[in-house]
Amino acid sequence: MKLLATATGPSLQSEIDDDFGHSAYFVVFDTETQSYEAHVNKAGESSVGSGLMAAEQIVSLNPDV
């Protein structure tokens, strides 16, 4: 299962970012392989529509949760 979380940095030790649209990273953790990937939030610096752009990016990452 792939779990996605917003994060302030690119590692598993990074804090959860509470601002979805402007979070710095999306971290995807795979529970089956115990591996993870960090993705820069392309919408993070956007002033308008960042939530929608972030959601579109997340859909492309295809997490389960």
Short mmCIF file of all heavy atoms in Angstrom, two decimals:
data_model
loop_
_atom_site.label_atom_id
_atom_site.label_comp_id
_atom_site.label_asym_id
_atom_site.label_seq_id
_atom_site.Cartn_x
_atom_site.Cartn_y
_atom_site.Cartn_z
N MET A 1 0.85 -1.17 0.00
CA MET A 1 0.00 0.00 0.00
C MET A 1 0.89 1.24 0.00
O MET A 1 1.88 1.30 0.71
CB MET A 1 -0.89 0.00 1.24
CG MET A 1 -1.71 1.25 1.37
SD MET A 1 -2.75 1.29 2.83
CE MET A 1 -3.98 0.10 2.36
N LYS A 2 0.52 2.22 -0.80
CA LYS A 2 1.26 3.48 -0.86
C LYS A 2 0.52 4.55 -0.07
O LYS A 2 -0.62 4.86 -0.34
CB LYS A 2 1.45 3.92 -2.30
CG LYS A 2 2.38 3.02 -3.08
CD LYS A 2 2.59 3.56 -4.47
CE LYS A 2 3.54 2.66 -5.25
NZ LYS A 2 3.75 3.17 -6.61
N LEU A 3 1.21 5.11 0.91
CA LEU A 3 0.67 6.17 1.76
C LEU A 3 1.33 7.49 1.37
O LEU A 3 2.55 7.54 1.22
CB LEU A 3 0.96 5.88 3.23
CG LEU A 3 0.57 4.51 3.74
CD1 LEU A 3 1.10 4.30 5.15
CD2 LEU A 3 -0.93 4.36 3.71
N LEU A 4 0.55 8.54 1.23
CA LEU A 4 1.10 9.84 0.90
C LEU A 4 0.85 10.81 2.04
O LEU A 4 -0.23 10.82 2.61
CB LEU A 4 0.46 10.39 -0.38
CG LEU A 4 1.02 11.72 -0.85
CD1 LEU A 4 1.21 11.74 -2.35
CD2 LEU A 4 0.14 12.88 -0.41
N ALA A 5 1.87 11.60 2.34
CA ALA A 5 1.73 12.64 3.37
C ALA A 5 2.40 13.92 2.88
O ALA A 5 3.37 13.87 2.12
CB ALA A 5 2.39 12.19 4.67
N THR A 6 1.86 15.05 3.31
CA THR A 6 2.54 16.32 3.05
C THR A 6 3.70 16.41 4.03
O THR A 6 3.62 15.89 5.15
CB THR A 6 1.58 17.51 3.27
OG1 THR A 6 1.09 17.48 4.61
CG2 THR A 6 0.42 17.47 2.28
N ALA A 7 4.78 17.05 3.62
CA ALA A 7 5.95 17.11 4.49
C ALA A 7 6.70 18.42 4.29
O ALA A 7 6.66 19.03 3.22
CB ALA A 7 6.87 15.94 4.20
N THR A 8 7.42 18.83 5.33
CA THR A 8 8.23 20.04 5.27
C THR A 8 9.58 19.78 4.62
O THR A 8 10.29 20.71 4.25
CB THR A 8 8.45 20.62 6.67
OG1 THR A 8 9.10 19.63 7.49
CG2 THR A 8 7.14 21.04 7.31
N GLY A 9 9.97 18.51 4.50
CA GLY A 9 11.25 18.14 3.91
C GLY A 9 11.14 16.81 3.17
O GLY A 9 10.10 16.16 3.21
N PRO A 10 12.23 16.39 2.54
CA PRO A 10 12.19 15.21 1.68
C PRO A 10 12.50 13.87 2.36
O PRO A 10 12.79 12.90 1.68
CB PRO A 10 13.26 15.53 0.64
CG PRO A 10 14.27 16.31 1.40
CD PRO A 10 13.46 17.15 2.37
N SER A 11 12.42 13.80 3.68
CA SER A 11 12.75 12.53 4.34
C SER A 11 11.60 12.05 5.23
O SER A 11 10.66 12.79 5.51
CB SER A 11 14.01 12.68 5.19
OG SER A 11 13.73 13.40 6.37
N LEU A 12 11.72 10.82 5.69
CA LEU A 12 10.70 10.27 6.59
C LEU A 12 10.73 10.94 7.95
O LEU A 12 9.76 10.88 8.70
CB LEU A 12 10.89 8.76 6.75
CG LEU A 12 10.62 7.92 5.51
CD1 LEU A 12 10.88 6.44 5.81
CD2 LEU A 12 9.20 8.11 5.01
N GLN A 13 11.81 11.59 8.29
CA GLN A 13 11.92 12.28 9.57
C GLN A 13 11.37 13.71 9.51
O GLN A 13 11.28 14.40 10.52
CB GLN A 13 13.38 12.32 10.03
CG GLN A 13 13.92 10.98 10.49
CD GLN A 13 14.19 10.03 9.33
OE1 GLN A 13 14.56 10.46 8.24
NE2 GLN A 13 14.01 8.75 9.55
N SER A 14 10.99 14.17 8.33
CA SER A 14 10.44 15.52 8.17
C SER A 14 9.08 15.61 8.85
O SER A 14 8.36 14.63 8.95
CB SER A 14 10.27 15.86 6.69
OG SER A 14 11.50 15.81 6.02
N GLU A 15 8.75 16.81 9.28
CA GLU A 15 7.45 17.03 9.92
C GLU A 15 6.35 17.07 8.87
O GLU A 15 6.59 17.44 7.72
CB GLU A 15 7.48 18.33 10.71
CG GLU A 15 8.39 18.28 11.90
CD GLU A 15 8.28 19.52 12.76
OE1 GLU A 15 7.25 20.22 12.68
OE2 GLU A 15 9.23 19.78 13.51
N ILE A 16 5.15 16.71 9.30
CA ILE A 16 3.97 16.84 8.45
C ILE A 16 3.71 18.32 8.21
O ILE A 16 3.78 19.13 9.13
CB ILE A 16 2.73 16.20 9.12
CG1 ILE A 16 2.93 14.70 9.33
CG2 ILE A 16 1.45 16.48 8.33
CD1 ILE A 16 2.99 13.90 8.06
N ASP A 17 3.44 18.68 6.97
CA ASP A 17 3.13 20.07 6.64
C ASP A 17 1.61 20.23 6.68
O ASP A 17 0.88 19.49 6.01
CB ASP A 17 3.66 20.41 5.25
CG ASP A 17 3.73 21.91 5.01
OD1 ASP A 17 2.87 22.63 5.57
OD2 ASP A 17 4.63 22.34 4.28
N ASP A 18 1.12 21.18 7.45
CA ASP A 18 -0.33 21.32 7.62
C ASP A 18 -0.99 22.17 6.53
O ASP A 18 -2.21 22.34 6.52
CB ASP A 18 -0.67 21.88 9.00
CG ASP A 18 -0.08 23.25 9.26
OD1 ASP A 18 0.66 23.75 8.41
OD2 ASP A 18 -0.36 23.81 10.34
N ASP A 19 -0.23 22.68 5.58
CA ASP A 19 -0.78 23.48 4.49
C ASP A 19 -0.69 22.67 3.20
O ASP A 19 0.32 22.69 2.49
CB ASP A 19 -0.02 24.79 4.36
CG ASP A 19 -0.69 25.74 3.38
OD1 ASP A 19 -1.58 25.33 2.63
OD2 ASP A 19 -0.30 26.93 3.37
N PHE A 20 -1.76 21.95 2.88
CA PHE A 20 -1.79 21.01 1.75
C PHE A 20 -1.29 21.64 0.45
O PHE A 20 -0.35 21.15 -0.17
CB PHE A 20 -3.21 20.48 1.57
CG PHE A 20 -3.41 19.67 0.33
CD1 PHE A 20 -2.95 18.37 0.26
CD2 PHE A 20 -4.06 20.21 -0.77
CE1 PHE A 20 -3.12 17.62 -0.89
CE2 PHE A 20 -4.24 19.46 -1.91
CZ PHE A 20 -3.77 18.17 -1.98
N GLY A 21 -1.90 22.70 0.01
CA GLY A 21 -1.57 23.30 -1.28
C GLY A 21 -0.18 23.89 -1.35
O GLY A 21 0.43 23.93 -2.40
N HIS A 22 0.33 24.35 -0.22
CA HIS A 22 1.64 24.99 -0.19
C HIS A 22 2.71 24.15 0.51
O HIS A 22 3.78 24.66 0.84
CB HIS A 22 1.54 26.37 0.48
CG HIS A 22 0.73 27.34 -0.31
ND1 HIS A 22 -0.48 27.81 0.15
CD2 HIS A 22 0.92 27.90 -1.52
CE1 HIS A 22 -0.98 28.63 -0.76
NE2 HIS A 22 -0.16 28.70 -1.77
N SER A 23 2.41 22.88 0.76
CA SER A 23 3.43 22.04 1.41
C SER A 23 4.66 21.96 0.53
O SER A 23 4.59 22.06 -0.70
CB SER A 23 2.88 20.63 1.68
OG SER A 23 2.62 19.96 0.46
N ALA A 24 5.81 21.77 1.14
CA ALA A 24 7.06 21.73 0.39
C ALA A 24 7.19 20.42 -0.41
O ALA A 24 7.64 20.43 -1.55
CB ALA A 24 8.24 21.89 1.33
N TYR A 25 6.78 19.31 0.22
CA TYR A 25 6.96 17.99 -0.40
C TYR A 25 5.74 17.11 -0.20
O TYR A 25 4.97 17.31 0.74
CB TYR A 25 8.16 17.26 0.23
CG TYR A 25 9.48 17.88 -0.10
CD1 TYR A 25 10.01 18.89 0.70
CD2 TYR A 25 10.22 17.46 -1.20
CE1 TYR A 25 11.24 19.46 0.40
CE2 TYR A 25 11.43 18.02 -1.51
CZ TYR A 25 11.94 19.03 -0.71
OH TYR A 25 13.15 19.60 -1.01
N PHE A 26 5.64 16.11 -1.05
CA PHE A 26 4.75 14.98 -0.86
C PHE A 26 5.64 13.76 -0.71
O PHE A 26 6.49 13.51 -1.57
CB PHE A 26 3.80 14.79 -2.05
CG PHE A 26 2.92 15.97 -2.31
CD1 PHE A 26 2.92 16.61 -3.53
CD2 PHE A 26 2.06 16.44 -1.33
CE1 PHE A 26 2.10 17.69 -3.77
CE2 PHE A 26 1.23 17.52 -1.56
CZ PHE A 26 1.25 18.15 -2.79
N VAL A 27 5.49 13.04 0.38
CA VAL A 27 6.28 11.84 0.61
C VAL A 27 5.36 10.64 0.46
O VAL A 27 4.32 10.57 1.11
CB VAL A 27 6.95 11.86 2.00
CG1 VAL A 27 7.70 10.56 2.26
CG2 VAL A 27 7.89 13.05 2.13
N VAL A 28 5.76 9.72 -0.40
CA VAL A 28 4.99 8.51 -0.65
C VAL A 28 5.77 7.33 -0.07
O VAL A 28 6.91 7.07 -0.47
CB VAL A 28 4.76 8.29 -2.16
CG1 VAL A 28 3.94 7.02 -2.39
CG2 VAL A 28 4.06 9.49 -2.78
N PHE A 29 5.16 6.64 0.90
CA PHE A 29 5.78 5.49 1.56
C PHE A 29 5.07 4.23 1.11
O PHE A 29 3.85 4.14 1.16
CB PHE A 29 5.69 5.63 3.08
CG PHE A 29 6.33 4.49 3.82
CD1 PHE A 29 7.70 4.41 3.93
CD2 PHE A 29 5.56 3.51 4.41
CE1 PHE A 29 8.30 3.36 4.60
CE2 PHE A 29 6.14 2.46 5.07
CZ PHE A 29 7.52 2.38 5.17
N ASP A 30 5.85 3.24 0.66
CA ASP A 30 5.31 1.96 0.21
C ASP A 30 5.46 0.96 1.36
O ASP A 30 6.58 0.61 1.74
CB ASP A 30 6.05 1.48 -1.03
CG ASP A 30 5.42 0.26 -1.67
OD1 ASP A 30 4.88 -0.60 -0.94
OD2 ASP A 30 5.47 0.17 -2.90
N THR A 31 4.34 0.52 1.92
CA THR A 31 4.39 -0.39 3.08
C THR A 31 4.88 -1.78 2.71
O THR A 31 5.37 -2.50 3.57
CB THR A 31 3.01 -0.50 3.75
OG1 THR A 31 2.06 -1.01 2.80
CG2 THR A 31 2.54 0.84 4.27
N GLU A 32 4.76 -2.16 1.45
CA GLU A 32 5.20 -3.49 1.02
C GLU A 32 6.71 -3.58 0.89
O GLU A 32 7.32 -4.57 1.27
CB GLU A 32 4.52 -3.88 -0.29
CG GLU A 32 3.03 -4.10 -0.14
CD GLU A 32 2.35 -4.43 -1.46
OE1 GLU A 32 3.03 -4.78 -2.43
OE2 GLU A 32 1.11 -4.33 -1.49
N THR A 33 7.33 -2.53 0.33
CA THR A 33 8.78 -2.56 0.11
C THR A 33 9.55 -1.79 1.18
O THR A 33 10.78 -1.81 1.18
CB THR A 33 9.11 -1.95 -1.27
OG1 THR A 33 8.71 -0.57 -1.28
CG2 THR A 33 8.42 -2.71 -2.39
N GLN A 34 8.82 -1.06 2.05
CA GLN A 34 9.42 -0.23 3.08
C GLN A 34 10.31 0.87 2.49
O GLN A 34 11.29 1.30 3.10
CB GLN A 34 10.23 -1.07 4.08
CG GLN A 34 9.41 -2.12 4.81
CD GLN A 34 8.37 -1.48 5.73
OE1 GLN A 34 8.71 -0.71 6.62
NE2 GLN A 34 7.10 -1.77 5.50
N SER A 35 9.99 1.31 1.28
CA SER A 35 10.75 2.38 0.63
C SER A 35 9.86 3.62 0.50
O SER A 35 8.65 3.55 0.68
CB SER A 35 11.22 1.93 -0.75
OG SER A 35 10.11 1.67 -1.60
N TYR A 36 10.50 4.73 0.21
CA TYR A 36 9.73 5.97 0.04
C TYR A 36 10.35 6.82 -1.06
O TYR A 36 11.51 6.65 -1.42
CB TYR A 36 9.65 6.75 1.35
CG TYR A 36 10.92 7.48 1.72
CD1 TYR A 36 11.07 8.82 1.40
CD2 TYR A 36 11.95 6.85 2.39
CE1 TYR A 36 12.23 9.50 1.74
CE2 TYR A 36 13.10 7.52 2.74
CZ TYR A 36 13.25 8.84 2.41
OH TYR A 36 14.39 9.51 2.73
N GLU A 37 9.52 7.72 -1.58
CA GLU A 37 9.95 8.71 -2.56
C GLU A 37 9.44 10.06 -2.11
O GLU A 37 8.30 10.17 -1.64
CB GLU A 37 9.38 8.42 -3.94
CG GLU A 37 9.85 7.13 -4.57
CD GLU A 37 9.19 6.88 -5.92
OE1 GLU A 37 8.15 7.53 -6.22
OE2 GLU A 37 9.70 6.04 -6.66
N ALA A 38 10.26 11.09 -2.25
CA ALA A 38 9.85 12.45 -1.93
C ALA A 38 9.71 13.22 -3.24
O ALA A 38 10.57 13.13 -4.12
CB ALA A 38 10.87 13.12 -1.03
N HIS A 39 8.62 13.95 -3.35
CA HIS A 39 8.34 14.73 -4.55
C HIS A 39 8.12 16.19 -4.16
O HIS A 39 7.34 16.47 -3.25
CB HIS A 39 7.08 14.20 -5.25
CG HIS A 39 7.16 12.76 -5.61
ND1 HIS A 39 7.66 12.34 -6.82
CD2 HIS A 39 6.83 11.64 -4.92
CE1 HIS A 39 7.62 11.02 -6.86
NE2 HIS A 39 7.13 10.57 -5.72
N VAL A 40 8.80 17.09 -4.83
CA VAL A 40 8.61 18.51 -4.59
C VAL A 40 7.19 18.87 -5.04
O VAL A 40 6.75 18.47 -6.11
CB VAL A 40 9.64 19.35 -5.38
CG1 VAL A 40 9.34 20.83 -5.26
CG2 VAL A 40 11.04 19.05 -4.89
N ASN A 41 6.49 19.61 -4.20
CA ASN A 41 5.15 20.08 -4.55
C ASN A 41 5.30 21.20 -5.58
O ASN A 41 5.75 22.30 -5.26
CB ASN A 41 4.41 20.59 -3.31
CG ASN A 41 3.05 21.14 -3.63
OD1 ASN A 41 2.57 21.08 -4.75
ND2 ASN A 41 2.41 21.70 -2.62
N LYS A 42 4.94 20.92 -6.82
CA LYS A 42 5.09 21.90 -7.89
C LYS A 42 4.19 23.11 -7.69
O LYS A 42 4.45 24.17 -8.27
CB LYS A 42 4.78 21.23 -9.23
CG LYS A 42 5.73 20.11 -9.56
CD LYS A 42 5.30 19.38 -10.81
CE LYS A 42 6.17 18.15 -11.04
NZ LYS A 42 5.67 17.33 -12.15
N ALA A 43 3.16 22.99 -6.90
CA ALA A 43 2.23 24.09 -6.65
C ALA A 43 2.60 24.89 -5.42
O ALA A 43 1.94 25.88 -5.10
CB ALA A 43 0.81 23.55 -6.49
N GLY A 44 3.63 24.50 -4.72
CA GLY A 44 3.98 25.11 -3.44
C GLY A 44 4.18 26.61 -3.46
O GLY A 44 3.86 27.30 -2.51
N GLU A 45 4.71 27.14 -4.53
CA GLU A 45 4.97 28.57 -4.62
C GLU A 45 3.85 29.34 -5.31
O GLU A 45 3.90 30.55 -5.42
CB GLU A 45 6.29 28.80 -5.38
CG GLU A 45 7.50 28.20 -4.69
CD GLU A 45 7.76 28.82 -3.33
OE1 GLU A 45 7.62 30.05 -3.20
OE2 GLU A 45 8.08 28.07 -2.39
N SER A 46 2.84 28.65 -5.78
CA SER A 46 1.74 29.30 -6.50
C SER A 46 0.86 30.09 -5.53
O SER A 46 0.56 29.63 -4.43
CB SER A 46 0.90 28.25 -7.22
OG SER A 46 -0.16 28.85 -7.90
N SER A 47 0.43 31.26 -5.97
CA SER A 47 -0.42 32.07 -5.09
C SER A 47 -1.90 31.81 -5.32
O SER A 47 -2.71 32.07 -4.45
CB SER A 47 -0.12 33.56 -5.31
OG SER A 47 -0.38 33.91 -6.65
N VAL A 48 -2.26 31.28 -6.47
CA VAL A 48 -3.67 31.02 -6.79
C VAL A 48 -3.81 29.60 -7.32
O VAL A 48 -3.03 29.17 -8.17
CB VAL A 48 -4.19 32.02 -7.85
CG1 VAL A 48 -5.62 31.71 -8.23
CG2 VAL A 48 -4.06 33.45 -7.36
N GLY A 49 -4.77 28.86 -6.79
CA GLY A 49 -5.06 27.53 -7.31
C GLY A 49 -4.10 26.45 -6.85
O GLY A 49 -4.06 25.38 -7.44
N SER A 50 -3.35 26.70 -5.79
CA SER A 50 -2.34 25.73 -5.36
C SER A 50 -2.97 24.43 -4.88
O SER A 50 -2.41 23.35 -5.12
CB SER A 50 -1.45 26.32 -4.27
OG SER A 50 -2.21 26.66 -3.13
N GLY A 51 -4.14 24.49 -4.25
CA GLY A 51 -4.79 23.26 -3.78
C GLY A 51 -5.18 22.35 -4.92
O GLY A 51 -4.94 21.14 -4.87
N LEU A 52 -5.74 22.92 -5.97
CA LEU A 52 -6.14 22.13 -7.13
C LEU A 52 -4.92 21.56 -7.85
O LEU A 52 -4.90 20.39 -8.24
CB LEU A 52 -6.98 22.98 -8.09
CG LEU A 52 -7.50 22.27 -9.33
CD1 LEU A 52 -8.35 21.07 -8.96
CD2 LEU A 52 -8.29 23.23 -10.19
N MET A 53 -3.89 22.38 -8.02
CA MET A 53 -2.68 21.90 -8.68
C MET A 53 -2.00 20.81 -7.87
O MET A 53 -1.51 19.82 -8.43
CB MET A 53 -1.72 23.06 -8.93
CG MET A 53 -2.24 24.03 -9.96
SD MET A 53 -1.15 25.39 -10.51
CE MET A 53 -0.16 25.78 -9.13
N ALA A 54 -1.99 20.94 -6.55
CA ALA A 54 -1.40 19.92 -5.69
C ALA A 54 -2.21 18.62 -5.78
O ALA A 54 -1.64 17.54 -5.86
CB ALA A 54 -1.35 20.41 -4.24
N ALA A 55 -3.52 18.74 -5.81
CA ALA A 55 -4.37 17.55 -5.93
C ALA A 55 -4.12 16.82 -7.25
O ALA A 55 -4.05 15.59 -7.28
CB ALA A 55 -5.84 17.94 -5.83
N GLU A 56 -3.95 17.57 -8.33
CA GLU A 56 -3.65 16.95 -9.62
C GLU A 56 -2.32 16.21 -9.58
O GLU A 56 -2.18 15.13 -10.14
CB GLU A 56 -3.65 18.00 -10.72
CG GLU A 56 -5.03 18.53 -11.05
CD GLU A 56 -5.01 19.69 -12.03
OE1 GLU A 56 -3.95 20.30 -12.26
OE2 GLU A 56 -6.09 19.99 -12.58
N GLN A 57 -1.32 16.80 -8.92
CA GLN A 57 -0.02 16.14 -8.80
C GLN A 57 -0.14 14.86 -7.98
O GLN A 57 0.42 13.84 -8.34
CB GLN A 57 1.00 17.08 -8.17
CG GLN A 57 2.39 16.47 -8.09
CD GLN A 57 3.42 17.41 -7.48
OE1 GLN A 57 3.14 18.55 -7.19
NE2 GLN A 57 4.61 16.89 -7.29
N ILE A 58 -0.91 14.90 -6.92
CA ILE A 58 -1.09 13.73 -6.07
C ILE A 58 -1.78 12.60 -6.84
O ILE A 58 -1.37 11.45 -6.74
CB ILE A 58 -1.86 14.08 -4.78
CG1 ILE A 58 -0.94 14.88 -3.87
CG2 ILE A 58 -2.39 12.84 -4.09
CD1 ILE A 58 -1.61 15.43 -2.65
N VAL A 59 -2.77 12.93 -7.63
CA VAL A 59 -3.44 11.91 -8.44
C VAL A 59 -2.44 11.23 -9.36
O VAL A 59 -2.45 10.01 -9.53
CB VAL A 59 -4.60 12.53 -9.25
CG1 VAL A 59 -5.11 11.57 -10.32
CG2 VAL A 59 -5.74 12.92 -8.32
N SER A 60 -1.50 12.00 -9.92
CA SER A 60 -0.51 11.41 -10.81
C SER A 60 0.49 10.51 -10.08
O SER A 60 1.10 9.63 -10.69
CB SER A 60 0.25 12.51 -11.58
OG SER A 60 1.15 13.19 -10.74
N LEU A 61 0.64 10.70 -8.76
CA LEU A 61 1.53 9.86 -7.97
C LEU A 61 0.86 8.53 -7.60
O LEU A 61 1.54 7.61 -7.14
CB LEU A 61 1.99 10.60 -6.71
CG LEU A 61 2.83 11.86 -6.96
CD1 LEU A 61 3.08 12.59 -5.64
CD2 LEU A 61 4.12 11.52 -7.65
N ASN A 62 -0.44 8.47 -7.71
CA ASN A 62 -1.23 7.24 -7.53
C ASN A 62 -1.08 6.57 -6.16
O ASN A 62 -0.86 5.36 -6.07
CB ASN A 62 -0.87 6.25 -8.65
CG ASN A 62 -1.91 5.19 -8.82
OD1 ASN A 62 -3.08 5.43 -8.55
ND2 ASN A 62 -1.50 4.02 -9.26
N PRO A 63 -1.24 7.34 -5.07
CA PRO A 63 -1.19 6.70 -3.75
C PRO A 63 -2.49 5.97 -3.44
O PRO A 63 -3.53 6.26 -4.05
CB PRO A 63 -1.01 7.88 -2.80
CG PRO A 63 -1.73 8.99 -3.50
CD PRO A 63 -1.49 8.76 -4.97
N ASP A 64 -2.45 5.03 -2.50
CA ASP A 64 -3.66 4.36 -2.04
C ASP A 64 -4.37 5.16 -0.96
O ASP A 64 -5.57 5.13 -0.84
CB ASP A 64 -3.31 2.96 -1.52
CG ASP A 64 -2.74 2.09 -2.61
OD1 ASP A 64 -3.37 1.97 -3.68
OD2 ASP A 64 -1.65 1.53 -2.40
N VAL A 65 -3.58 5.84 -0.14
CA VAL A 65 -4.12 6.63 0.98
C VAL A 65 -3.40 7.96 1.02
O VAL A 65 -2.22 8.03 0.86
CB VAL A 65 -3.93 5.91 2.32
CG1 VAL A 65 -4.42 6.75 3.48
CG2 VAL A 65 -4.61 4.58 2.31
#
